[in-house]
Amino acid sequence: RPGRAQTASAGVLVPLCSVAEEASLLLTLRSSKLTGRHQGDVSFPGGKRDPSDPDIIHTALRETHEELGLELSRDCVWGTLRPYPDGSGMTVVPVLAHLGAINPKDITPNPKEVDDVFVISLRHCFCERNQRYTSFRPRGIHTYTLPVYLNAKYKVWGLTAVMIDGLLCFLFPGTYRSPVHGKQPKSNR
């Protein structure tokens, strides 16, 4: 949608790819050496929009290049998904892109920004035994519930899990069973 990119303060690339002929998402483990609240978190490549970035798609592609060394063109971008508030006042826009067949071992991440690169298959996310949710109840009052994906190389939670859940609901309406919006699997406490 026009205008969405102008209000975004950060962009992440949601890289669909094929690994051993299986539809997957490419994820990163942010460096534990970073300062700030997201060090050591699982995330999509991306970050804050620079004033020189013409749009949020450029931000996501630039950040992916800085973090993973992947030189991607706008031709691989399918579009933007709905923006998400991140809890710190920023609006993060997922930029959906298709990378084609990849081998994650061929990717050399920037060690100042990324500790590891891995994939999670869409089939893995669909499997209910890998889905959980966590509810936040400050002072005993339920405020919100977030999806969690387990049994991958790393636990995927937080805004990244919310984006995966939203993507799968968008791509597979009526087929994907959200751990938050569909049948509730066991809590991840």
Side-chain angles (χ1 to χ4, degrees), residues 54-75:
D55 57 35
I56 206 65
I57 292 171
H58 181 85
T59 301
L61 293 173
R62 176 185 53 74
E63 286 282 342
T64 299
H65 181 256
E66 289 175 12
E67 293 176 16
L68 303 179
L70 296 176
E71 194 72 54
L72 303 172
S73 76
R74 290 180 83 94
D75 293 341

Side-chain angles (χ1 to χ4, degrees), residues 1 4-5 56-57 77-83 93-96 170:
R1 291 179 197 152
R4 179 187 301 184
I56 206 65
I57 292 171
V77 174
W78 287 358
T80 58
L81 302 172
R82 82 174 184 90
V93 175
V95 177
L96 184 60
F170 173 73

Side-chain angles (χ1 to χ4, degrees), residues 17-189:
C17 57
S18 174
V19 177
E21 298 185 10
E22 182 146 21
S24 301
L25 293 165
L26 181 68
L27 294 160
T28 69
L29 181 68
R30 292 175 55 87
S31 173
S32 56
K33 298 174 186 114
L34 290 173
T35 58
R37 57 188 274 214
H38 300 296
Q39 65 189 38
D41 286 356
V42 168
S43 68
F44 289 117
K48 290 181 184 177
R49 183 175 181 184
D50 284 346
S52 62
D53 290 341
D55 57 35
I56 206 65
I57 292 171
H58 181 85
T59 301
L61 293 173
R62 176 185 53 74
E63 286 282 342
T64 299
H65 181 256
E66 289 175 12
E67 293 176 16
L68 303 179
L70 296 176
E71 194 72 54
L72 303 172
S73 76
R74 290 180 83 94
D75 293 341
C76 73
V77 174
W78 287 358
T80 58
L81 302 172
R82 82 174 184 90
Y84 293 91
D86 80 342
S88 71
M90 291 181 62
T91 300
V92 182
V93 175
V95 177
L96 184 60
H98 184 255
L99 305 186
I102 66 162
N103 181 347
K105 293 177 183 173
D106 292 340
I107 298 171
T108 306
N110 176 346
K112 292 179 183 175
E113 298 200 35
V114 176
D115 280 344
D116 199 7
V117 178
F118 68 103
V119 294
I120 187 169
S121 73
L122 298 187
R123 181 189 336 209
H124 182 93
C125 295
F126 262 78
C127 183
E128 288 187 30
R129 74 169 191 248
N130 299 324
Q131 299 175 352
R132 295 292 185 271
Y133 65 92
T134 186
S135 295
F136 293 85
R137 294 182 174 94
R139 296 183 292 280
I141 300 168
H142 178 267
T143 54
Y144 57 95
T145 301
L146 299 176
V148 178
Y149 298 95
L150 303 173
N151 305 318
K153 188 170 184 179
Y154 304 100
K155 177 172 73 170
V156 182
W157 64 284
L159 192 56
T160 302
V162 170
M163 289 180 186
I164 291 172
D165 184 65
L167 173 68
L168 296 177
C169 287
F170 173 73
L171 291 176
F172 306 103
T175 304
Y176 171 68
R177 195 170 229 144
S178 168
V180 175
H181 306 322
K183 178 183 159 203
Q184 296 285 326
K186 297 174 192 168
S187 175
N188 182 44
R189 292 185 201 208

